[in-house]
Short mmCIF file of all heavy atoms in Angstrom, two decimals:
data_model
loop_
_atom_site.label_atom_id
_atom_site.label_comp_id
_atom_site.label_asym_id
_atom_site.label_seq_id
_atom_site.Cartn_x
_atom_site.Cartn_y
_atom_site.Cartn_z
N TRP A 183 -4.68 -0.43 10.32
CA TRP A 183 -3.49 -1.22 10.73
C TRP A 183 -3.88 -2.56 11.29
O TRP A 183 -3.28 -3.60 11.05
CB TRP A 183 -2.75 -0.39 11.74
CG TRP A 183 -2.11 0.82 11.31
CD1 TRP A 183 -2.50 2.16 11.63
CD2 TRP A 183 -1.06 0.96 10.45
NE1 TRP A 183 -1.77 3.03 10.91
CE2 TRP A 183 -0.88 2.35 10.18
CE3 TRP A 183 -0.26 0.03 9.72
CZ2 TRP A 183 0.18 2.83 9.40
CZ3 TRP A 183 0.76 0.48 8.93
CH2 TRP A 183 1.01 1.87 8.75
N ILE A 184 -4.96 -2.65 12.16
CA ILE A 184 -5.38 -3.85 12.81
C ILE A 184 -5.74 -4.82 11.75
O ILE A 184 -5.42 -6.07 11.77
CB ILE A 184 -6.58 -3.61 13.76
CG1 ILE A 184 -6.04 -2.68 14.90
CG2 ILE A 184 -7.06 -4.92 14.30
CD1 ILE A 184 -7.10 -2.42 15.95
N ASN A 185 -6.48 -4.45 10.66
CA ASN A 185 -6.78 -5.35 9.64
C ASN A 185 -5.62 -5.83 8.84
O ASN A 185 -5.58 -7.05 8.52
CB ASN A 185 -7.75 -4.58 8.63
CG ASN A 185 -9.03 -4.10 9.30
OD1 ASN A 185 -8.98 -3.11 10.10
ND2 ASN A 185 -10.15 -4.66 9.01
N LEU A 186 -4.69 -4.89 8.59
CA LEU A 186 -3.43 -5.33 7.85
C LEU A 186 -2.67 -6.31 8.62
O LEU A 186 -2.20 -7.32 8.10
CB LEU A 186 -2.70 -4.12 7.47
CG LEU A 186 -3.21 -3.09 6.46
CD1 LEU A 186 -2.47 -1.82 6.45
CD2 LEU A 186 -3.37 -3.75 5.23
N ILE A 187 -2.51 -6.12 9.95
CA ILE A 187 -1.75 -7.04 10.78
C ILE A 187 -2.50 -8.32 10.91
O ILE A 187 -1.87 -9.46 10.88
CB ILE A 187 -1.51 -6.37 12.16
CG1 ILE A 187 -0.61 -5.16 12.02
CG2 ILE A 187 -0.89 -7.34 13.14
CD1 ILE A 187 -0.44 -4.33 13.29
N HIS A 188 -3.81 -8.30 11.08
CA HIS A 188 -4.60 -9.56 11.20
C HIS A 188 -4.48 -10.30 9.86
O HIS A 188 -4.41 -11.58 9.90
CB HIS A 188 -6.06 -9.19 11.57
CG HIS A 188 -6.90 -10.37 11.50
ND1 HIS A 188 -6.83 -11.41 12.39
CD2 HIS A 188 -7.92 -10.66 10.64
CE1 HIS A 188 -7.76 -12.35 12.10
NE2 HIS A 188 -8.40 -11.90 11.07
N SER A 189 -4.58 -9.62 8.77
CA SER A 189 -4.48 -10.31 7.47
C SER A 189 -3.14 -11.08 7.34
O SER A 189 -3.09 -12.15 6.87
CB SER A 189 -4.75 -9.32 6.35
OG SER A 189 -4.50 -9.95 5.07
N ALA A 190 -2.05 -10.33 7.70
CA ALA A 190 -0.71 -10.98 7.57
C ALA A 190 -0.49 -12.12 8.54
O ALA A 190 0.01 -13.16 8.20
CB ALA A 190 0.35 -9.84 7.82
N ASN A 191 -1.16 -11.93 9.75
CA ASN A 191 -1.06 -13.03 10.75
C ASN A 191 -1.80 -14.25 10.32
O ASN A 191 -1.36 -15.37 10.55
CB ASN A 191 -1.49 -12.42 12.13
CG ASN A 191 -0.46 -11.90 12.94
OD1 ASN A 191 0.67 -12.33 12.97
ND2 ASN A 191 -0.85 -10.87 13.66
N ARG A 192 -2.99 -13.96 9.70
CA ARG A 192 -3.82 -15.16 9.28
C ARG A 192 -3.15 -15.87 8.18
O ARG A 192 -3.19 -17.10 8.10
CB ARG A 192 -5.21 -14.58 8.82
CG ARG A 192 -6.10 -15.62 8.30
CD ARG A 192 -7.59 -15.11 8.15
NE ARG A 192 -7.51 -13.98 7.21
CZ ARG A 192 -8.61 -13.30 6.88
NH1 ARG A 192 -9.81 -13.52 7.53
NH2 ARG A 192 -8.67 -12.36 6.01
N SER A 193 -2.48 -15.13 7.26
CA SER A 193 -1.81 -15.78 6.12
C SER A 193 -0.66 -16.60 6.69
O SER A 193 -0.44 -17.75 6.18
CB SER A 193 -1.31 -14.67 5.19
OG SER A 193 -2.32 -13.98 4.58
N ASN A 194 0.05 -16.12 7.68
CA ASN A 194 1.13 -16.85 8.29
C ASN A 194 0.67 -18.08 8.95
O ASN A 194 1.18 -19.15 8.86
CB ASN A 194 1.91 -15.98 9.35
CG ASN A 194 2.84 -15.01 8.65
OD1 ASN A 194 3.39 -15.24 7.58
ND2 ASN A 194 3.00 -13.86 9.36
N GLY A 195 -0.51 -17.98 9.66
CA GLY A 195 -1.08 -19.12 10.34
C GLY A 195 -1.53 -20.16 9.46
O GLY A 195 -1.49 -21.36 9.77
N LEU A 196 -1.97 -19.86 8.29
CA LEU A 196 -2.43 -20.84 7.27
C LEU A 196 -1.31 -21.37 6.40
O LEU A 196 -1.52 -22.22 5.52
CB LEU A 196 -3.49 -20.21 6.40
CG LEU A 196 -4.80 -19.76 7.07
CD1 LEU A 196 -5.78 -19.07 6.06
CD2 LEU A 196 -5.51 -21.05 7.64
N GLY A 197 -0.07 -20.86 6.64
CA GLY A 197 1.06 -21.29 5.90
C GLY A 197 1.06 -20.68 4.39
O GLY A 197 1.66 -21.35 3.59
N LEU A 198 0.38 -19.62 4.21
CA LEU A 198 0.26 -19.05 2.85
C LEU A 198 1.44 -18.05 2.69
O LEU A 198 2.09 -17.57 3.66
CB LEU A 198 -1.04 -18.27 2.75
CG LEU A 198 -2.37 -19.10 2.96
CD1 LEU A 198 -3.52 -18.17 2.87
CD2 LEU A 198 -2.41 -20.23 1.88
N ASN A 199 1.69 -17.74 1.40
CA ASN A 199 2.68 -16.78 1.10
C ASN A 199 2.22 -15.42 1.43
O ASN A 199 1.23 -14.98 0.98
CB ASN A 199 2.98 -16.94 -0.40
CG ASN A 199 4.13 -15.96 -0.79
OD1 ASN A 199 4.80 -15.35 0.03
ND2 ASN A 199 4.22 -15.68 -2.09
N THR A 200 3.06 -14.72 2.31
CA THR A 200 2.61 -13.38 2.71
C THR A 200 3.43 -12.26 1.95
O THR A 200 3.44 -11.14 2.33
CB THR A 200 2.90 -13.16 4.21
OG1 THR A 200 4.33 -13.38 4.43
CG2 THR A 200 2.13 -14.10 5.04
N ASP A 201 3.96 -12.68 0.87
CA ASP A 201 4.72 -11.78 0.03
C ASP A 201 5.86 -11.08 0.83
O ASP A 201 6.17 -9.92 0.45
CB ASP A 201 3.82 -10.77 -0.63
CG ASP A 201 2.90 -11.36 -1.59
OD1 ASP A 201 3.26 -12.25 -2.32
OD2 ASP A 201 1.67 -11.01 -1.56
N GLY A 202 6.39 -11.70 1.77
CA GLY A 202 7.56 -11.18 2.53
C GLY A 202 7.12 -10.16 3.48
O GLY A 202 8.08 -9.45 4.04
N ILE A 203 5.87 -9.99 3.89
CA ILE A 203 5.48 -9.03 4.90
C ILE A 203 6.01 -9.37 6.22
O ILE A 203 5.68 -10.50 6.71
CB ILE A 203 3.96 -8.81 4.83
CG1 ILE A 203 3.47 -8.28 3.52
CG2 ILE A 203 3.59 -7.89 6.03
CD1 ILE A 203 2.01 -8.13 3.39
N ASP A 204 6.71 -8.59 6.86
CA ASP A 204 7.22 -8.76 8.17
C ASP A 204 6.27 -8.01 9.24
O ASP A 204 6.12 -6.82 9.15
CB ASP A 204 8.64 -8.12 8.32
CG ASP A 204 9.32 -8.51 9.65
OD1 ASP A 204 8.64 -8.82 10.62
OD2 ASP A 204 10.50 -8.46 9.74
N ILE A 205 5.65 -8.87 10.15
CA ILE A 205 4.74 -8.32 11.03
C ILE A 205 5.37 -7.19 11.92
O ILE A 205 4.78 -6.18 12.24
CB ILE A 205 4.16 -9.43 12.00
CG1 ILE A 205 3.60 -10.60 11.13
CG2 ILE A 205 3.18 -8.85 12.88
CD1 ILE A 205 2.46 -10.14 10.35
N LYS A 206 6.65 -7.38 12.28
CA LYS A 206 7.36 -6.37 13.10
C LYS A 206 7.39 -5.06 12.33
O LYS A 206 7.27 -3.99 12.98
CB LYS A 206 8.84 -6.82 13.43
CG LYS A 206 8.85 -8.01 14.33
CD LYS A 206 10.27 -8.42 14.64
CE LYS A 206 10.40 -9.60 15.59
NZ LYS A 206 11.78 -10.00 15.86
N ASN A 207 7.54 -4.96 11.00
CA ASN A 207 7.62 -3.76 10.24
C ASN A 207 6.24 -3.13 10.23
O ASN A 207 6.14 -1.94 10.23
CB ASN A 207 8.15 -4.04 8.86
CG ASN A 207 9.65 -4.03 8.74
OD1 ASN A 207 10.29 -3.00 8.78
ND2 ASN A 207 10.22 -5.26 8.68
N LEU A 208 5.14 -3.94 10.16
CA LEU A 208 3.85 -3.36 10.24
C LEU A 208 3.53 -2.69 11.63
O LEU A 208 3.07 -1.56 11.64
CB LEU A 208 2.79 -4.47 10.12
CG LEU A 208 2.40 -4.83 8.64
CD1 LEU A 208 1.56 -6.04 8.68
CD2 LEU A 208 1.67 -3.62 8.00
N TYR A 209 4.08 -3.25 12.68
CA TYR A 209 3.88 -2.65 13.98
C TYR A 209 4.80 -1.42 14.07
O TYR A 209 4.39 -0.39 14.70
CB TYR A 209 4.33 -3.65 15.12
CG TYR A 209 3.22 -4.59 15.47
CD1 TYR A 209 3.42 -5.93 15.28
CD2 TYR A 209 2.05 -4.21 16.10
CE1 TYR A 209 2.40 -6.91 15.53
CE2 TYR A 209 1.05 -5.11 16.40
CZ TYR A 209 1.33 -6.44 16.26
OH TYR A 209 0.29 -7.29 16.56
N LEU A 210 5.93 -1.39 13.47
CA LEU A 210 6.84 -0.21 13.46
C LEU A 210 6.19 0.89 12.69
O LEU A 210 6.13 2.01 13.23
CB LEU A 210 8.16 -0.62 12.76
CG LEU A 210 9.11 0.66 12.49
CD1 LEU A 210 9.53 1.25 13.80
CD2 LEU A 210 10.35 0.18 11.63
#
Side-chain angles (χ1 to χ4, degrees):
W183 294 111
I184 295 179
N185 301 69
L186 292 172
I187 293 171
H188 172 65
S189 176
N191 272 323
R192 182 169 58 183
S193 298
N194 282 331
L196 294 175
L198 301 176
N199 179 14
T200 60
D201 296 319
I203 295 177
D204 188 338
I205 304 299
K206 291 182 179 179
N207 276 283
L208 272 173
Y209 279 115
L210 172 63

